[in-house]
Structure formats: structure tokens, C-alpha cells
Amino acid sequence: MPILVAVTILWAFSFSLIGVYLAGQVDAWFSVLMRVALATLIFLPFLKPRQIEAKVALQLIVCGAFQLGIMYGFYYQSFLYLSVPEVLLFTVMTPIYITLLNDLLDHRLNIGFIISALLAVVGAITIRYQGVDDGYLKGLLIVQGANLCFAAGQVGYKRIIAKERPDLPQRTVFGWFFIGALAVVIPCYLILGNPDKLPTTPLQWSILTYLGLVASGLGYFAWNKGATMVSVGTLAVANNLLIPAGILVNVLFWNRDADILRLSIGGAIILLALMVNDKFNQRIQQAKAT
């Protein structure tokens, strides 16, 4: 969990950097391409193709294609319709997707995981709720596409590492993850990208470089590694910690309007969800022991 919290703090800045400096100014697909390409360069030197079976490499490529490639496509488009806090708010369904996808793969339904995820959703919605107009609805649907892809990638990566090769250092296989994302992003930029909307200022280039090397490269590696070290319920709740963190950063550094009282209450509910999840995990472990 400490790894997931650390990455949450790191990613809290990404939403505002994209929403304030890139959205609507720099072509979304170029932004995605640069982020994924830079992240791929970090892990290519560590890649050892002979260490894993082709089947496992292909599975990791598919995870990367969903969690980064397709997800980023939805994610960057959402900023054209929503403000930074709104994008954050509409990610509240990610924990539900994580829990349900994992249970679906296990052919079961774990009530404890669902309760903790629902509590996290309640906490996130408490932070900032407004009536939904046409723009909100369109933005909501786009963000849900991103949420589904992000959830599928996390669940898939966690299960692949646990089942196939838990013995391998993850840095030696994570390059496949970014290769999968790159396989999606390159053709999407060539088909859908706008070469007339490239970065025009040193600040925009600097932000894209930071997002590629740090937020995407190191961030996704640390997040997915952390995902393999916690339960699915904890992973689901951790996804919603990003909402209060992202809104808080947005308020403190970019002076965006937010209800501090709602932020505090919502954050407290999300922390309660973590506590509830821990209780259920303890019961599950005790049941297994007996």
C-alpha cells in the first residue's frame, strides 16, 4: 500500500498539468505518443526476452495496450469536455470495475471487496457532485471507457505476474507492457493525430517529458508492482485515493474552485473504506487458517 500511496501523490499533479497546459492546446494523440514512447525507452534496456515465454510476453503486451494505450486515448479526450475536478470525479467507478472484473475471472462474488469499493465510490462522489448536463454525460461516458481499460490492465497484470512468473524481477518484463501501449498509440496518432497541434512552448515540452519519464515510466511500473503486493479490494480503494489528492493539488497550485468541506468528508469516507477492506481481509485470512 505505501507504494500505491506514493504513486497517488505523484499522479495527483498529472491531472492538473494536462488540464491546464495541454488539453485543447496540444494534440491529444501526440501527447499520448510522447508519454508512452519515453516510458518505453526507460524499460527497453532491462528487457530480457529469453527470460519469459512468448505467451506471457503477449499477455503483458495486451495489458499495456488496454491500461495505457487505449485508456490514454479516452483519458486525454475527456479533458476536452470536463474540468480537472470533473475528470477526477468521474473516475469513481474504477474500483467497482476492478472488483467485478476480478470476481468475474474467479467465477465468484466477494461481498467484502464490493462493499469497500462502494464505500470508496460514496466518498469520491461526496467530494464534488453537480447536476449532469449533456457535456457531463459525454464526458462521463468517455471517462468510463478510460476507467474500464485502466481496471482491466491492473487486474490482468496482477494475475499474470502471480500466476505465470512471480519469481522474475518485474523491471525485466515491464518493457512488454509499454510495447503493448506503443502498438496502440502509434497507429492511432498516424490516423487520428493532428500534426498542426504540436507543443509550441518549452513548458509544454517539459511537461510532456516529465509525464513520459516520471508519471508514466516510473509511475506505472511502481503502481503495477504495488498492485501485485496488495489484495484486489485494497487495489480498488487505492484507485479512488487519487480523487481527493488530485483535487487538493488542483486547488492549492492552480486555484480551481472546490468545496473543501466536501473534500475532507469524502476523503474521510475513502479512508474508512480502506479500514473496512482491511477488516474483511483479516476475516478471509482467518477463515483460510481454520
Side-chain angles (χ1 to χ4, degrees):
M1 191 63 189
I3 294 177
L4 298 179
V5 172
V7 178
T8 294
I9 296 172
L10 173 68
W11 282 350
F13 288 87
S14 299
F15 284 88
S16 291
L17 291 175
I18 294 168
V20 175
Y21 299 108
L22 300 178
Q25 304 171 53
V26 178
D27 177 64
W29 282 111
F30 178 81
S31 297
V32 173
L33 175 61
M34 185 168 176
R35 286 189 68 168
V36 174
L38 289 174
T40 305
L41 290 177
I42 294 179
F43 287 93
L44 279 182
F46 299 104
L47 198 63
K48 298 180 180 180
R50 295 181 180 179
Q51 277 193 340
I52 63 172
E53 300 82 358
K55 179 189 73 171
V56 179
L58 180 59
Q59 290 173 335
L60 293 173
I61 287 173
V62 171
C63 284
F66 274 94
Q67 191 177 345
L68 262 73
I70 303 174
M71 183 278 290
Y72 270 154
F74 284 116
Y75 172 61
Y76 271 78
Q77 293 299 322
S78 69
F79 286 98
L80 300 178
Y81 301 96
L82 303 170
S83 67
V84 172
E86 289 160 0
V87 172
L88 285 159
L89 175 63
F90 285 155
T91 64
V92 296
M93 290 301 294
T94 303
I96 300 297
Y97 298 144
I98 289 175
T99 300
L100 293 182
L101 284 172
N102 188 73
D103 284 347
L104 183 64
L105 292 172
D106 285 340
H107 305 288
R108 61 176 173 79
L109 190 63
N110 190 310
I111 299 301
F113 287 159
I114 292 180
I115 290 175
S116 61
L118 284 173
L119 271 175
V121 170
V122 171
I125 292 177
T126 300
I127 290 170
R128 191 172 187 272
Y129 175 78
Q130 296 179 357
V132 178
D133 57 21
D134 291 341
Y136 267 44
L137 181 59
K138 193 169 186 177
L140 170 63
L141 294 176
I142 293 174
V143 174
Q144 296 321 300
N147 292 345
L148 271 169
C149 293
F150 192 55
Q154 291 178 75
V155 172
Y157 184 86
K158 177 177 173 63
R159 296 174 71 93
I160 290 167
I161 294 298
K163 179 181 178 181
E164 302 290 348
R165 296 303 300 270
D167 56 309
L168 283 180
Q170 292 185 41
R171 67 178 181 277
T172 64
V173 299
F174 207 69
W176 296 113
F177 180 84
F178 285 114
I179 288 173
L182 205 58
V184 171
V185 171
I186 289 176
C188 283
Y189 173 68
L190 293 176
I191 297 171
L192 304 173
N194 183 357
D196 295 328
K197 294 188 68 176
L198 298 182
T200 56
T201 68
L203 178 60
Q204 290 174 335
W205 283 107
S206 301
I207 290 173
L208 281 174
T209 301
Y210 162 78
L211 292 174
L213 296 177
V214 181
S216 290
L218 300 180
Y220 274 98
F221 172 71
W223 182 269
N224 280 22
K225 181 178 177 64
T228 65
M229 302 166 66
V230 300
S231 70
V232 172
T234 300
L235 177 61
V237 173
N239 273 264
N240 263 359
L241 287 176
L242 184 59
I243 296 173
I247 294 177
L248 185 61
V249 166
N250 193 253
V251 172
L252 292 178
F253 292 92
W254 284 276
N255 299 315
R256 295 296 189 264
D257 294 331
D259 191 322
I260 302 301
L261 178 60
R262 284 178 179 266
L263 179 63
S264 302
I265 296 174
I269 295 174
I270 291 176
L271 290 177
L272 175 63
L274 280 173
M275 296 171 61
V276 170
N277 179 69
D278 286 340
K279 290 294 183 182
F280 274 105
N281 284 340
Q282 291 174 13
R283 291 185 182 180
I284 291 172
Q285 295 304 319
Q286 290 173 359
K288 289 181 178 178
T290 58

